[in-house]
Amino acid sequence: QVQLVESGGGLVQPGGSLRLSCTASGIRFSVYGMGWYRQTPGKQRELVAAITSGGSTNYADSVKGRFTISRDNAKNTVYLQLNSLKPEDTAVYSCNVACCYWGQGTQVTVSS
């Protein structure tokens, strides 16, 4: 079975940082693109960052320059570094395999 497990969420103050991790199992991780999405209650899930199997990255305009996506194929893990966090970044952050798989998400709350 395929499983994606996110971790690293928590409570931080505005301007703070978090590093989210998503570890995959049950797939040949290195051949897939990966994405990080976020969702708040009543809002549609949005893509915030993506990385291809070759390492090319894309970011939503709202996070560009503040967030960094990376991957470690040896650890079957994709990361999202969140810097200069704003209250509007509060959401459940979930990773997905571009083809077809989703994790359950990790909560990020930005509040003073």
Side-chain angles (χ1 to χ4, degrees):
Q1 64 178 21
V2 177
Q3 187 176 27
L4 303 175
V5 180
E6 299 95 336
S7 63
L11 174 64
V12 297
Q13 295 187 12
S17 298
L18 287 172
R19 190 192 193 202
L20 309 183
S21 299
C22 171
T23 299
S25 60
I27 60 170
R28 187 180 174 186
F29 179 82
S30 63
V31 307
Y32 293 104
M34 300 291 295
W36 282 99
Y37 290 73
R38 66 185 181 186
Q39 187 172 29
T40 57
K43 298 294 183 181
Q44 190 172 0
R45 193 187 306 271
E46 63 173 335
L47 177 66
V48 298
I51 185 166
T52 69
S53 61
S56 297
T57 59
N58 276 295
Y59 300 92
D61 289 342
S62 60
V63 307
K64 194 170 297 183
R66 299 188 298 120
F67 293 5
T68 303
I69 188 171
S70 61
R71 65 191 299 158
D72 185 340
N73 290 337
K75 297 181 178 180
N76 285 0
T77 299
V78 61
Y79 304 96
L80 187 67
Q81 179 69 43
L82 296 75
N83 295 328
S84 302
L85 283 162
K86 306 173 181 179
E88 51 262 45
D89 294 319
T90 297
V92 174
Y93 286 73
S94 302
C95 70
N96 94 309
V97 182
C99 64
C100 43
Y101 302 112
W102 289 88
Q104 297 183 81
T106 182
Q107 176 70 46
V108 171
T109 303
V110 186
S111 179
S112 60

XYZ file of all heavy atoms in Angstrom:
837
model
N 0.829 -1.181 0.000
C 0.000 0.000 0.000
C 0.877 1.250 0.000
O 2.001 1.232 0.476
C -0.937 0.028 1.203
C -0.224 0.110 2.534
C -1.185 0.189 3.705
O -2.364 -0.198 3.596
N -0.697 0.659 4.835
N 0.308 2.320 -0.527
C 0.995 3.604 -0.566
C 0.573 4.417 0.644
O -0.618 4.513 0.962
C 0.679 4.362 -1.854
C 1.336 5.736 -1.846
C 1.136 3.558 -3.060
N 1.543 5.016 1.320
C 1.260 5.846 2.481
C 2.125 7.096 2.446
O 3.320 7.026 2.165
C 1.517 5.072 3.772
C 1.095 5.812 5.024
C 1.275 4.978 6.287
O 2.130 4.086 6.338
N 0.483 5.265 7.306
N 1.506 8.237 2.733
C 2.206 9.501 2.874
C 1.931 10.032 4.271
O 0.771 10.145 4.675
C 1.723 10.521 1.843
C 1.826 10.130 0.365
C 1.180 11.205 -0.500
C 3.280 9.944 -0.030
N 2.974 10.360 5.010
C 2.836 10.832 6.377
C 3.530 12.165 6.521
O 4.752 12.260 6.377
C 3.413 9.821 7.380
C 3.251 10.345 8.803
C 2.724 8.472 7.235
N 2.737 13.204 6.832
C 3.267 14.548 7.038
C 3.576 14.778 8.511
O 2.892 14.249 9.389
C 2.264 15.613 6.571
C 1.901 15.538 5.095
C 0.640 14.741 4.840
O 0.277 13.883 5.681
O -0.004 14.978 3.798
N 4.563 15.615 8.760
C 4.906 15.995 10.117
C 5.565 17.363 10.101
O 5.935 17.874 9.049
C 5.827 14.965 10.769
O 7.063 14.879 10.082
N 5.718 17.943 11.274
C 6.428 19.202 11.416
C 5.560 20.410 11.649
O 6.084 21.501 11.909
N 4.254 20.252 11.570
C 3.366 21.374 11.820
C 3.358 21.756 13.286
O 3.827 21.023 14.150
N 2.824 22.938 13.560
C 2.750 23.408 14.920
C 2.332 24.850 14.983
O 1.871 25.427 14.001
N 2.496 25.433 16.160
C 2.132 26.820 16.419
C 3.384 27.682 16.441
O 4.332 27.394 17.186
C 1.399 26.933 17.756
C 1.058 28.338 18.246
C 0.083 29.023 17.297
C 0.483 28.273 19.658
N 3.388 28.727 15.627
C 4.502 29.672 15.598
C 3.956 31.080 15.561
O 2.807 31.319 15.178
C 5.436 29.446 14.392
C 6.088 28.072 14.457
C 4.677 29.616 13.087
N 4.787 32.028 15.949
C 4.417 33.430 15.877
C 4.667 33.983 14.480
O 5.474 33.444 13.724
C 5.209 34.236 16.906
C 4.890 33.882 18.344
C 5.563 34.813 19.336
O 6.098 35.862 18.967
N 5.536 34.442 20.594
N 3.968 35.049 14.106
C 4.267 35.681 12.817
C 5.754 35.983 12.685
O 6.399 36.446 13.627
C 3.431 36.956 12.854
C 2.283 36.617 13.754
C 2.867 35.720 14.816
N 6.282 35.694 11.506
C 7.697 35.862 11.261
C 8.530 34.640 11.561
O 9.719 34.608 11.202
N 7.936 33.636 12.184
C 8.646 32.426 12.531
C 8.765 31.459 11.380
O 8.337 31.733 10.258
N 9.349 30.296 11.674
C 9.632 29.297 10.653
C 9.225 27.905 11.114
O 9.209 27.608 12.311
C 11.130 29.274 10.312
O 11.566 30.504 9.771
N 8.904 27.065 10.156
C 8.659 25.647 10.369
C 9.235 24.882 9.199
O 9.364 25.422 8.095
C 7.166 25.333 10.475
C 6.412 25.736 11.729
C 4.912 25.512 11.517
C 6.901 24.942 12.934
N 9.563 23.623 9.440
C 9.978 22.731 8.368
C 9.061 21.522 8.373
O 9.067 20.740 9.321
C 11.427 22.289 8.540
C 11.984 21.550 7.320
C 13.302 20.883 7.637
N 13.994 20.427 6.445
C 14.919 19.470 6.439
N 15.261 18.877 7.573
N 15.508 19.124 5.297
N 8.283 21.373 7.321
C 7.379 20.253 7.176
C 8.055 19.119 6.421
O 8.849 19.353 5.513
C 6.109 20.662 6.431
C 5.377 21.905 6.946
C 4.105 22.125 6.133
C 5.068 21.781 8.426
N 7.720 17.899 6.790
C 8.242 16.720 6.121
C 7.095 15.831 5.679
O 6.064 15.757 6.338
C 9.154 15.915 7.050
O 10.267 16.670 7.471
N 7.285 15.159 4.578
C 6.341 14.158 4.094
C 7.135 12.959 3.648
O 7.930 13.062 2.705
C 5.499 14.716 2.943
S 4.485 13.483 2.094
N 6.932 11.848 4.325
C 7.645 10.624 4.011
C 6.700 9.640 3.348
O 5.604 9.375 3.854
C 8.260 10.008 5.275
O 9.198 10.925 5.842
C 8.993 8.715 4.934
N 7.132 9.112 2.224
C 6.316 8.205 1.428
C 6.819 6.777 1.559
O 8.016 6.533 1.724
C 6.339 8.621 -0.039
N 5.900 5.852 1.462
C 6.239 4.442 1.412
C 5.339 3.754 0.402
O 4.248 4.229 0.100
C 6.117 3.780 2.786
O 4.789 3.874 3.283
N 5.809 2.653 -0.131
C 5.005 1.875 -1.056
C 5.083 2.324 -2.502
O 4.323 1.814 -3.332
N 5.964 3.272 -2.806
C 6.154 3.737 -4.174
C 7.637 3.888 -4.454
O 8.443 4.011 -3.532
C 5.438 5.068 -4.463
C 5.959 6.171 -3.535
C 3.929 4.920 -4.348
C 5.495 7.562 -3.912
N 7.970 3.891 -5.744
C 9.325 4.240 -6.146
C 9.400 5.766 -6.156
O 9.165 6.421 -7.168
C 9.641 3.648 -7.511
C 11.097 3.824 -7.929
C 11.348 3.209 -9.291
N 12.700 3.489 -9.767
C 13.163 3.172 -10.956
N 12.387 2.544 -11.827
N 14.409 3.477 -11.297
N 9.733 6.322 -5.026
C 9.596 7.743 -4.747
C 10.303 8.623 -5.769
O 9.770 9.652 -6.197
C 10.123 8.028 -3.342
C 10.072 9.466 -2.933
C 8.902 10.022 -2.458
C 11.209 10.257 -3.007
C 8.850 11.345 -2.069
C 11.174 11.584 -2.620
C 9.983 12.126 -2.154
N 11.488 8.236 -6.174
C 12.339 9.106 -6.972
C 11.770 9.443 -8.341
O 12.178 10.438 -8.948
C 13.730 8.489 -7.138
O 13.663 7.267 -7.843
N 10.846 8.658 -8.849
C 10.338 8.881 -10.207
C 9.118 9.799 -10.246
O 8.646 10.136 -11.332
C 10.006 7.550 -10.906
C 11.190 6.605 -10.860
C 8.768 6.891 -10.311
N 8.614 10.231 -9.086
C 7.387 11.017 -9.037
C 7.631 12.465 -8.661
O 8.469 12.777 -7.813
C 6.403 10.409 -8.030
C 5.867 9.061 -8.431
C 6.343 7.903 -7.834
C 4.888 8.950 -9.407
C 5.857 6.661 -8.200
C 4.400 7.715 -9.777
C 4.880 6.578 -9.174
O 4.384 5.345 -9.545
N 6.859 13.346 -9.281
C 6.763 14.697 -8.784
C 5.969 14.714 -7.481
O 5.121 13.851 -7.243
N 6.238 15.707 -6.641
C 5.566 15.837 -5.353
C 5.061 17.264 -5.186
O 5.654 18.209 -5.715
C 6.507 15.500 -4.200
C 7.081 14.093 -4.229
S 5.839 12.810 -3.911
C 5.387 13.187 -2.211
N 3.988 17.408 -4.433
C 3.435 18.717 -4.185
C 3.040 18.913 -2.736
O 2.776 17.946 -2.015
N 3.032 20.164 -2.319
C 2.478 20.570 -1.036
C 1.261 21.453 -1.296
O 1.333 22.417 -2.070
C 3.490 21.342 -0.191
C 4.503 20.488 0.495
C 5.777 20.235 0.091
C 4.328 19.787 1.729
N 6.418 19.425 0.993
C 5.548 19.136 2.006
C 3.275 19.650 2.631
C 5.736 18.349 3.143
C 3.452 18.871 3.753
C 4.669 18.229 4.004
N 0.158 21.102 -0.656
C -1.083 21.858 -0.730
C -1.452 22.357 0.660
O -0.970 21.839 1.668
C -2.220 20.990 -1.256
C -2.132 20.619 -2.718
C -1.211 19.685 -3.167
C -2.997 21.205 -3.651
C -1.138 19.335 -4.509
C -2.933 20.854 -4.993
C -2.006 19.919 -5.406
O -1.946 19.576 -6.739
N -2.328 23.342 0.697
C -2.864 23.772 1.980
C -4.352 24.060 1.843
O -4.842 24.413 0.768
C -2.127 24.992 2.525
C -2.288 26.268 1.726
C -1.396 27.351 2.314
N -1.517 28.611 1.611
C -0.756 29.677 1.849
N 0.189 29.617 2.788
N -0.933 30.795 1.156
N -5.059 23.912 2.969
C -6.494 24.110 2.983
C -6.941 24.624 4.342
O -6.498 24.126 5.374
C -7.223 22.810 2.661
C -8.727 22.973 2.479
C -9.382 21.710 1.963
O -8.910 20.604 2.223
N -10.468 21.869 1.227
N -7.812 25.611 4.326
C -8.450 26.115 5.530
C -9.939 25.815 5.455
O -10.485 25.623 4.360
C -8.222 27.620 5.690
O -8.700 28.302 4.523
C -6.746 27.928 5.867
N -10.640 25.773 6.604
C -12.072 25.476 6.573
C -12.836 26.427 5.667
O -12.654 27.647 5.733
C -12.502 25.637 8.031
C -11.260 25.335 8.807
C -10.139 25.896 7.981
N -13.670 25.869 4.817
C -14.471 26.657 3.904
C -13.758 27.129 2.668
O -14.364 27.827 1.838
N -12.498 26.781 2.530
C -11.720 27.199 1.373
C -11.265 25.986 0.570
O -11.050 24.903 1.106
C -10.494 28.008 1.792
C -10.815 29.294 2.526
C -11.523 30.279 1.614
C -11.776 31.592 2.330
N -12.478 32.563 1.455
N -11.102 26.187 -0.730
C -10.630 25.122 -1.598
C -9.143 24.873 -1.373
O -8.380 25.799 -1.096
C -10.889 25.494 -3.052
C -10.657 24.373 -4.044
C -11.108 24.741 -5.451
O -11.602 25.836 -5.695
N -10.937 23.816 -6.384
N -8.752 23.632 -1.483
C -7.351 23.284 -1.371
C -6.551 23.953 -2.487
O -6.974 23.972 -3.645
C -7.193 21.762 -1.461
C -5.829 21.250 -1.044
C -5.695 19.755 -1.328
N -6.752 18.972 -0.728
C -6.714 18.450 0.495
N -5.641 18.613 1.265
N -7.740 17.749 0.953
N -5.406 24.520 -2.142
C -4.574 25.184 -3.114
C -3.160 24.626 -3.105
O -2.610 24.289 -2.057
C -4.534 26.700 -2.868
C -3.915 27.108 -1.544
C -3.744 28.612 -1.393
O -3.647 29.315 -2.422
O -3.701 29.086 -0.237
N -2.575 24.562 -4.276
C -1.191 24.131 -4.414
C -0.273 25.281 -4.027
O -0.392 26.385 -4.560
C -0.916 23.692 -5.848
C 0.523 23.274 -6.176
C 0.902 21.996 -5.434
C 0.692 23.073 -7.678
N 0.651 25.025 -3.112
C 1.585 26.061 -2.690
C 2.988 25.847 -3.233
O 3.723 26.816 -3.439
C 1.624 26.218 -1.155
C 0.252 26.633 -0.632
C 2.080 24.939 -0.465
N 3.378 24.603 -3.463
C 4.710 24.322 -3.982
C 4.728 22.941 -4.598
O 4.012 22.042 -4.157
C 5.769 24.412 -2.880
N 5.555 22.764 -5.611
C 5.686 21.478 -6.273
C 7.125 21.278 -6.709
O 7.846 22.244 -6.992
C 4.752 21.380 -7.477
N 7.525 20.030 -6.772
C 8.866 19.684 -7.229
C 8.769 18.449 -8.105
O 8.089 17.483 -7.779
C 9.825 19.466 -6.030
C 11.258 19.229 -6.516
C 9.342 18.336 -5.135
C 12.286 19.342 -5.396
N 9.426 18.494 -9.245
C 9.409 17.373 -10.168
C 10.426 16.322 -9.762
O 11.254 16.530 -8.877
C 9.708 17.832 -11.597
O 11.082 18.240 -11.680
C 8.810 18.989 -12.014
N 10.371 15.187 -10.430
C 11.355 14.148 -10.168
C 12.773 14.626 -10.466
O 13.731 14.135 -9.863
C 11.037 12.896 -10.986
O 11.070 13.173 -12.376
N 12.903 15.576 -11.383
C 14.202 16.130 -11.722
C 14.646 17.295 -10.864
O 15.755 17.800 -11.055
N 13.796 17.740 -9.936
C 14.178 18.787 -9.012
C 13.711 20.187 -9.374
O 14.003 21.136 -8.636
N 12.990 20.351 -10.477
C 12.447 21.657 -10.817
C 11.320 22.012 -9.855
O 10.530 21.147 -9.472
C 11.927 21.679 -12.247
O 12.977 21.444 -13.163
N 11.222 23.277 -9.488
C 10.249 23.707 -8.487
C 9.339 24.802 -9.017
O 9.703 25.557 -9.922
C 10.943 24.214 -7.214
O 11.802 25.317 -7.548
C 11.774 23.111 -6.580
N 8.149 24.873 -8.435
C 7.194 25.938 -8.696
C 6.505 26.299 -7.400
O 6.284 25.442 -6.543
C 6.162 25.526 -9.744
C 6.645 25.724 -11.163
O 6.879 26.839 -11.600
N 6.800 24.626 -11.895
N 6.147 27.581 -7.261
C 5.534 28.089 -6.044
C 4.349 28.974 -6.367
O 4.330 29.671 -7.387
C 6.534 28.905 -5.224
C 7.748 28.131 -4.788
C 8.895 28.116 -5.563
C 7.743 27.418 -3.596
C 10.017 27.398 -5.165
C 8.853 26.703 -3.192
C 9.988 26.698 -3.980
O 11.094 25.992 -3.577
N 3.371 28.961 -5.470
C 2.312 29.946 -5.549
C 2.888 31.331 -5.298
O 3.838 31.496 -4.529
C 1.225 29.634 -4.521
N 2.313 32.330 -5.946
C 2.814 33.691 -5.778
C 2.808 34.130 -4.314
O 3.688 34.884 -3.882
C 1.984 34.664 -6.611
C 2.235 34.526 -8.097
O 3.266 33.941 -8.485
O 1.399 35.012 -8.877
N 1.836 33.660 -3.545
C 1.694 34.086 -2.167
C 2.813 33.598 -1.256
O 3.010 34.151 -0.171
C 0.344 33.623 -1.611
O 0.234 32.212 -1.662
N 3.548 32.579 -1.677
C 4.606 32.018 -0.840
C 5.989 32.142 -1.461
O 6.992 31.841 -0.796
C 4.337 30.543 -0.486
C 2.948 30.376 0.111
C 4.509 29.643 -1.704
N 6.055 32.577 -2.693
C 7.338 32.675 -3.387
C 8.291 33.591 -2.626
O 7.926 34.695 -2.222
C 7.119 33.177 -4.813
C 8.317 33.008 -5.731
C 7.943 33.291 -7.189
C 6.911 32.300 -7.702
N 6.587 32.512 -9.138
N 9.499 33.111 -2.424
C 10.487 33.855 -1.668
C 10.473 33.573 -0.187
O 11.414 33.961 0.520
N 9.429 32.921 0.314
C 9.326 32.589 1.732
C 9.390 31.086 1.994
O 9.927 30.654 3.014
C 8.026 33.138 2.320
C 7.903 34.657 2.234
C 6.684 35.162 2.997
N 5.439 34.637 2.447
C 4.564 33.900 3.135
N 4.798 33.599 4.404
N 3.435 33.477 2.556
N 8.827 30.289 1.086
C 8.793 28.836 1.251
C 9.762 28.187 0.268
O 9.970 28.689 -0.840
C 7.399 28.280 0.983
C 6.334 28.675 1.970
C 6.577 29.572 2.992
C 5.068 28.127 1.856
C 5.589 29.929 3.892
C 4.064 28.467 2.748
C 4.325 29.371 3.765
N 10.322 27.046 0.661
C 11.218 26.291 -0.199
C 10.858 24.818 -0.144
O 10.792 24.238 0.939
C 12.689 26.470 0.213
O 13.037 27.856 0.198
C 13.602 25.713 -0.755
N 10.627 24.225 -1.299
C 10.363 22.796 -1.381
C 11.649 22.083 -1.800
O 12.405 22.586 -2.628
C 9.203 22.489 -2.354
C 8.799 21.013 -2.288
C 9.546 22.906 -3.777
C 7.520 20.690 -3.057
N 11.884 20.929 -1.219
C 13.053 20.127 -1.557
C 12.726 18.659 -1.352
O 11.692 18.319 -0.764
C 14.270 20.536 -0.716
O 14.022 20.336 0.660
N 13.589 17.797 -1.833
C 13.350 16.371 -1.665
C 14.651 15.642 -1.409
O 15.724 16.062 -1.855
C 12.636 15.787 -2.895
C 13.442 15.822 -4.190
C 12.552 15.467 -5.386
N 11.995 14.129 -5.272
C 10.906 13.712 -5.911
N 10.230 14.547 -6.707
N 10.476 12.464 -5.748
N 14.549 14.546 -0.679
C 15.668 13.657 -0.407
C 15.218 12.268 -0.820
O 14.504 11.589 -0.079
C 16.061 13.704 1.066
C 17.306 12.894 1.380
O 17.664 12.000 0.594
O 17.934 13.160 2.425
N 15.610 11.859 -2.003
C 15.137 10.585 -2.522
C 15.637 9.395 -1.708
O 14.966 8.367 -1.629
C 15.547 10.428 -3.986
C 14.788 11.364 -4.902
O 13.692 11.823 -4.578
N 15.369 11.649 -6.065
N 16.808 9.527 -1.098
C 17.336 8.445 -0.277
C 16.471 8.200 0.953
O 16.457 7.096 1.498
C 18.771 8.742 0.142
N 15.745 9.232 1.398
C 14.869 9.119 2.560
C 13.396 9.058 2.185
O 12.541 9.053 3.068
C 15.109 10.290 3.514
C 16.504 10.328 4.102
C 16.662 11.494 5.059
C 18.044 11.502 5.680
N 18.222 12.646 6.614
N 13.093 9.033 0.896
C 11.710 9.024 0.417
C 10.902 10.171 1.031
O 9.740 9.996 1.410
C 11.035 7.686 0.728
C 11.495 6.561 -0.179
O 12.330 6.742 -1.062
N 10.940 5.381 0.029
N 11.513 11.336 1.106
C 10.917 12.450 1.827
C 10.967 13.733 1.010
O 11.978 14.029 0.363
C 11.625 12.666 3.171
O 11.481 11.484 3.977
C 11.028 13.841 3.927
N 9.871 14.477 1.056
C 9.815 15.816 0.501
C 9.604 16.790 1.654
O 8.862 16.498 2.598
C 8.712 15.949 -0.571
C 7.331 15.677 0.008
C 8.757 17.321 -1.237
N 10.277 17.929 1.597
C 10.235 18.920 2.660
C 9.620 20.219 2.159
O 9.675 20.542 0.976
C 11.641 19.234 3.172
C 12.412 18.035 3.660
C 13.302 17.372 2.820
C 12.256 17.563 4.954
C 14.013 16.273 3.258
C 12.964 16.462 5.403
C 13.842 15.822 4.549
O 14.545 14.726 4.997
N 9.059 20.962 3.080
C 8.640 22.325 2.808
C 9.134 23.207 3.945
O 8.679 23.070 5.079
C 7.124 22.442 2.674
C 6.611 23.810 2.217
C 7.046 24.096 0.780
C 5.091 23.888 2.335
N 10.081 24.076 3.633
C 10.591 25.042 4.599
C 9.735 26.298 4.523
O 9.637 26.918 3.463
C 12.053 25.374 4.297
C 12.673 26.393 5.244
C 12.865 25.858 6.639
O 13.308 24.722 6.811
N 12.531 26.647 7.647
N 9.111 26.648 5.627
C 8.239 27.812 5.704
C 8.925 28.884 6.539
O 9.145 28.695 7.736
C 6.888 27.462 6.334
C 5.956 26.476 5.622
C 6.436 25.042 5.759
C 4.548 26.600 6.209
N 9.274 29.988 5.920
C 9.909 31.104 6.597
C 9.024 32.337 6.529
O 8.127 32.431 5.699
C 11.272 31.421 5.966
C 12.279 30.307 6.120
O 12.271 29.573 7.101
N 13.179 30.184 5.144
N 9.310 33.284 7.397
C 8.580 34.551 7.424
C 7.079 34.324 7.423
O 6.335 34.935 6.662
C 8.998 35.424 6.238
O 10.391 35.668 6.241
N 6.635 33.452 8.299
C 5.238 33.036 8.300
C 4.299 34.174 8.676
O 4.612 35.012 9.525
C 5.044 31.855 9.241
C 5.519 30.517 8.663
C 5.720 29.494 9.762
C 4.512 30.012 7.636
N 3.152 34.165 8.024
C 2.098 35.147 8.241
C 0.847 34.441 8.752
O 0.652 33.258 8.485
C 1.770 35.876 6.934
C 2.955 36.516 6.244
C 2.556 37.067 4.881
C 3.725 37.692 4.161
N 3.337 38.213 2.823
N -0.024 35.141 9.468
C -1.266 34.505 9.925
C -2.056 33.851 8.799
O -2.682 32.803 9.014
C -2.039 35.662 10.562
C -0.969 36.575 11.058
C 0.116 36.508 10.019
N -2.036 34.425 7.620
C -2.768 33.857 6.504
C -2.180 32.549 5.984
O -2.790 31.891 5.135
C -2.893 34.870 5.348
C -1.576 35.499 4.939
C -1.358 36.871 5.564
O -1.613 37.024 6.770
O -0.935 37.792 4.834
N -1.008 32.153 6.479
C -0.436 30.859 6.136
C -1.024 29.723 6.969
O -0.723 28.553 6.705
C 1.082 30.869 6.323
C 1.792 31.807 5.363
O 1.402 31.857 4.179
O 2.746 32.484 5.796
N -1.829 30.050 7.967
C -2.458 29.034 8.797
C -3.332 28.124 7.940
O -4.196 28.597 7.195
C -3.296 29.686 9.896
O -2.440 30.439 10.768
C -4.029 28.628 10.724
N -3.105 26.817 8.033
C -3.831 25.857 7.211
C -3.374 24.454 7.577
O -2.400 24.272 8.308
C -3.580 26.102 5.723
N -4.085 23.474 7.059
C -3.599 22.107 7.055
C -2.791 21.918 5.779
O -3.302 22.149 4.675
C -4.740 21.082 7.132
C -4.191 19.663 6.977
C -5.489 21.214 8.448
N -1.556 21.529 5.938
C -0.660 21.325 4.806
C -0.556 19.840 4.517
O -0.227 19.046 5.400
C 0.726 21.904 5.106
C 0.766 23.413 5.046
C 0.187 24.182 6.048
C 1.377 24.066 3.974
C 0.209 25.565 5.981
C 1.404 25.446 3.908
C 0.821 26.194 4.913
O 0.850 27.565 4.840
N -0.822 19.469 3.274
C -0.802 18.078 2.857
C 0.125 17.907 1.670
O 0.226 18.791 0.821
C -2.199 17.603 2.452
O -3.123 17.759 3.504
N 0.790 16.779 1.617
C 1.605 16.485 0.450
C 0.878 15.506 -0.450
O -0.018 14.770 -0.009
C 2.978 15.942 0.845
S 2.987 14.291 1.549
N 1.250 15.501 -1.704
C 0.683 14.526 -2.612
C 1.714 14.079 -3.630
O 2.671 14.792 -3.932
C -0.586 15.060 -3.290
C -0.344 15.706 -4.637
O 0.512 16.582 -4.777
N -1.109 15.283 -5.635
N 1.509 12.882 -4.111
C 2.242 12.372 -5.264
C 1.478 12.847 -6.481
O 0.264 12.668 -6.566
C 2.344 10.844 -5.236
C 3.167 10.335 -6.419
C 2.948 10.363 -3.927
N 2.178 13.457 -7.427
C 1.516 14.149 -8.528
C 0.527 13.265 -9.277
O -0.517 13.743 -9.723
C 2.572 14.715 -9.477
N 0.845 11.997 -9.373
C -0.049 11.116 -10.121
C -1.372 10.855 -9.414
O -2.425 10.883 -10.035
C 0.638 9.788 -10.415
S 1.058 8.787 -8.959
N -1.348 10.647 -8.095
C -2.578 10.053 -7.560
C -2.718 9.869 -6.053
O -3.777 9.410 -5.606
C -2.762 8.683 -8.201
S -1.246 7.724 -8.309
N -1.745 10.222 -5.214
C -1.812 9.888 -3.800
C -1.722 11.112 -2.916
O -1.007 12.065 -3.228
C -0.689 8.913 -3.415
C -0.707 7.630 -4.213
C 0.298 7.348 -5.123
C -1.739 6.712 -4.052
C 0.279 6.176 -5.861
C -1.766 5.545 -4.789
C -0.749 5.281 -5.687
O -0.777 4.122 -6.423
N -2.440 11.071 -1.769
C -2.503 12.175 -0.816
C -2.186 11.713 0.595
O -2.568 10.613 1.002
C -3.898 12.796 -0.811
C -4.217 13.566 -2.048
C -4.763 13.080 -3.196
C -4.015 14.966 -2.258
N -4.911 14.104 -4.112
C -4.466 15.260 -3.561
C -3.506 15.998 -1.467
C -4.417 16.548 -4.100
C -3.454 17.277 -1.997
C -3.913 17.543 -3.299
N -1.526 12.573 1.346
C -1.379 12.376 2.764
C -2.512 13.029 3.526
O -3.363 13.723 2.953
N -2.548 12.829 4.840
C -3.626 13.354 5.671
C -3.430 14.801 6.102
O -4.392 15.465 6.475
C -3.814 12.475 6.908
C -4.241 11.055 6.597
C -4.484 10.242 7.843
O -5.557 10.343 8.455
N -3.501 9.448 8.228
N -2.210 15.280 6.073
C -1.961 16.672 6.367
C -1.412 16.914 7.758
O -1.570 16.105 8.669
N -0.755 18.070 7.908
C -0.227 18.518 9.182
C -0.634 19.971 9.386
O -0.528 20.791 8.480
C 1.305 18.331 9.250
O 1.786 18.734 10.534
C 2.026 19.143 8.172
N -1.126 20.289 10.570
C -1.674 21.613 10.853
C -0.570 22.618 11.123
O 0.296 22.399 11.960
C -2.616 21.556 12.064
C -3.163 22.917 12.494
C -4.147 23.478 11.500
O -5.036 22.766 11.034
N -3.986 24.756 11.157
N -0.628 23.737 10.421
C 0.232 24.885 10.678
C -0.647 26.019 11.157
O -1.617 26.383 10.484
C 1.016 25.309 9.418
C 1.733 26.643 9.649
C 2.005 24.228 9.018
N -0.330 26.562 12.316
C -1.071 27.688 12.873
C -0.099 28.822 13.153
O 0.900 28.641 13.849
C -1.795 27.298 14.161
O -2.671 26.202 13.908
C -2.600 28.474 14.690
N -0.402 29.981 12.604
C 0.435 31.161 12.777
C -0.375 32.187 13.545
O -1.364 32.727 13.034
C 0.916 31.730 11.435
C 1.901 32.869 11.668
C 1.548 30.633 10.583
N 0.028 32.457 14.771
C -0.740 33.328 15.641
C 0.160 33.930 16.696
O 1.097 33.296 17.174
C -1.872 32.536 16.314
O -2.619 33.354 17.188
N -0.104 35.156 17.048
C 0.637 35.835 18.105
C -0.105 35.760 19.422
O -1.298 35.475 19.480
C 0.900 37.283 17.722
O -0.312 37.990 17.522
